[in-house]
């Protein structure tokens, strides 16, 4: 190979280093992970494969290098990685996401497990689960696919988010999942008194507590984040609606902020729920509260 060309050859190894450096300088908390995921997205390779390609000094074509550079600039400007790739992994699913819809988070995967366990414990042939404020459809579609005998109902109020919800429901095509556009306050009156599980990851941030993280502040929709002055407006609406949807003995599962466990337990107890209990996640943070109707 002539020396001039060989000097312009870009390798996975050098790109990993360069992308990591740029993302680190932009203040991204785990720059190597994001570098590998961005490069892997362009090269259609898993993270492990990207690492293997770096070890073997695989070359990157000029076109791919240009795309990687372009996406790195977007990520360095703090656009969420999931908006750049258009994808968010959630349990066994890969969901389509972008502007207008909340990007599902790993902590919600654990909260969803509580609902899955509850449904699996049910002796009913077709236990019913309801996801209030479904966003991308993450929780509802995980429940519908992982507990195929369950019937799952999901509601989303934001039209912008619903475009993504619809797309994900269409792609997963779970026959046991029903989706509606509407307000959770009056969703699914036809199943009142029959649901076994109501789950919600509602907006719960107090209006004045603007998140510091740019990706959240600028790119997650406000309707997915903010829950009024004390953050609990939608939690109150979920509690009221879930009382009607669940049969006696049914379970409400709420995701919430780390500091909100005591406030939410008090709110639920005042609404007449039995045994409100906050469960720590795998990192010991109080992110979910369950209660029995
Ligand atoms: C924090 S996001 C959670 C989305 C998804 N369940 C997840 O965990 O990734 C909250 C969602 O609730 C929706 N939402 C807020 N208020 C609602 C209401 N009154 N009725 C229905 N959906 C609502 C928001 O638009 C947003 O999509």
């Amino acid at each position: 190979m002539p020396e001039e060309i060989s000097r312009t050859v870009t390798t996975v190894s050098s790109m990993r280093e360069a992308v990591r450096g740029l993302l680190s300088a932009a203040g991204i908390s785990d720059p190597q992970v994001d570098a590998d995921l961005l490069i892997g997205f362009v090269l259609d390779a898993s993270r492990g494969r990207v690492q293997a390609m770096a070890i073997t000094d695989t070359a990157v074509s000029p076109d791919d290098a240009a795309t990687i550079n372009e996406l790195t600039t977007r990520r360095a400007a703090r656009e969420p990685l999931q908006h750049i790739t258009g994808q968010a992994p959630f349990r066994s699913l890969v969901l389509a996401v972008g502007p207008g819809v909340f990007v599902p988070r790993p902590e919600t995967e654990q909260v969803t497990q509580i609902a899955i366990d509850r449904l699996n414990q049910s002796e009913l042939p077709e236990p019913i689960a309801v996801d209030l404020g479904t966003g991308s459809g993450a929780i509802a579609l995980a429940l519908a696919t992982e507990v195929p005998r369950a019937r799952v109902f999901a509601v989303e109020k934001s039209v912008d988010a619903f475009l993504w919800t619809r797309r994900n429901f269409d792609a997963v095509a779970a026959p046991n999942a029903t989706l509606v556009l509407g307000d959770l306050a009056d969703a699914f009156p036809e199943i009142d008194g029959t649901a076994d599980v109501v789950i919600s990851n509602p907006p719960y941030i107090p209006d004045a507590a603007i998140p510091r993280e740019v990706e959240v502040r600028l790119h997650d929709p406000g309707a997915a984040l903010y829950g009024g002055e004390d953050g609990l407006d939608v939690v109150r609406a979920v509690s009221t609606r879930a009382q009607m949807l669940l049969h006696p003995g049914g379970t409400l599962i709420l995701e919430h902020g780390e500091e909100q466990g005591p406030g939410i337990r008090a709110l639920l107890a005042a609404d007449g729920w039995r045994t409100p209990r906050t469960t720590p996640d795998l990192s010991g943070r109080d992110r979910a509260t369950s209660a029995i109707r």
Side-chain angles (χ1 to χ4, degrees):
M1 189 179 289
E3 203 190 325
E4 217 167 285
I5 294 176
S6 71
R7 275 200 271 114
T8 66
V9 167
T10 309
T11 62
V12 171
S13 168
S14 63
M15 289 230 80
R16 267 186 103 217
E17 190 62 25
V19 174
R20 190 196 59 75
L22 286 166
L23 298 186
S24 171
I28 282 161
S29 58
D30 222 334
Q32 189 65 71
V33 173
D34 278 24
D36 289 351
L37 290 170
L38 272 183
I39 294 169
F41 174 67
V42 175
L43 301 184
D44 195 21
S46 66
R47 266 185 76 197
R49 177 87 188 110
V50 169
Q51 287 158 3
M53 287 163 119
I55 291 165
T56 54
D57 226 19
T58 304
V60 178
S61 76
D63 280 357
D64 283 344
T67 307
I68 291 167
N69 281 329
E70 185 196 316
L71 301 190
T72 301
T73 304
R74 287 171 59 185
R75 185 68 190 106
R78 306 301 294 264
E79 190 174 340
L81 178 73
Q82 298 89 341
H83 283 200
I84 295 170
T85 62
Q87 300 173 342
F90 187 83
R91 297 185 64 99
S92 62
L93 304 168
V94 178
L95 299 161
V97 292
V101 73
F102 184 81
V103 172
R105 308 290 207 271
E107 46 268 42
T108 307
E109 296 179 309
Q110 290 180 45
V111 181
T112 303
Q113 185 65 50
I114 302 173
I116 289 172
D117 291 345
R118 189 69 199 80
L119 290 171
N120 281 334
Q121 283 158 10
S122 170
E123 286 167 9
L124 295 170
E126 290 187 340
I128 292 178
V130 185
D131 176 14
L132 298 176
T134 195
S136 63
I139 297 174
L141 291 173
L143 297 181
T145 52
E146 294 187 50
V147 191
R149 75 187 172 96
R151 286 169 57 209
V152 180
F153 295 80
V155 60
E156 173 54 49
K157 182 181 181 183
S158 154
V159 174
D160 291 340
F162 190 81
L163 299 174
W164 296 98
T165 330
R166 182 76 271 161
R167 182 165 156 186
N168 286 316
F169 268 68
D170 287 349
V172 173
N176 54 340
T178 302
L179 171 65
V180 299
L181 173 67
D183 195 310
L184 64 85
D186 50 20
F188 309 118
E190 68 277 16
I191 55 162
D192 271 358
T194 65
D196 301 279
V197 172
V198 172
I199 181 168
S200 182
N201 175 18
Y204 52 69
I205 301 174
D207 287 349
I210 312 289
R212 258 174 305 192
E213 221 184 319
V214 181
E215 289 85 343
V216 180
R217 191 170 69 235
L218 297 186
H219 296 282
D220 276 322
L225 299 178
Y226 303 109
E229 194 175 343
D230 66 354
L232 300 180
D233 283 358
V234 185
V235 172
R236 281 185 275 271
V238 168
S239 169
T240 302
R241 187 73 198 102
Q243 287 274 3
M244 292 183 249
L245 284 163
L246 290 165
H247 59 64
T251 305
L252 169 66
I253 301 159
L254 275 167
E255 182 170 333
H256 54 73
E258 209 175 333
E259 313 293 336
Q260 290 176 319
I264 287 183
R265 290 196 301 277
L267 185 161
L268 295 179
D271 277 356
W273 292 90
R274 290 193 281 134
T275 59
R277 180 171 303 151
T278 302
T279 325
D281 67 13
L282 292 177
S283 60
R285 298 182 309 150
D286 283 346
R287 295 301 309 274
T289 293
S290 307
I292 307 297
R293 191 188 145 207

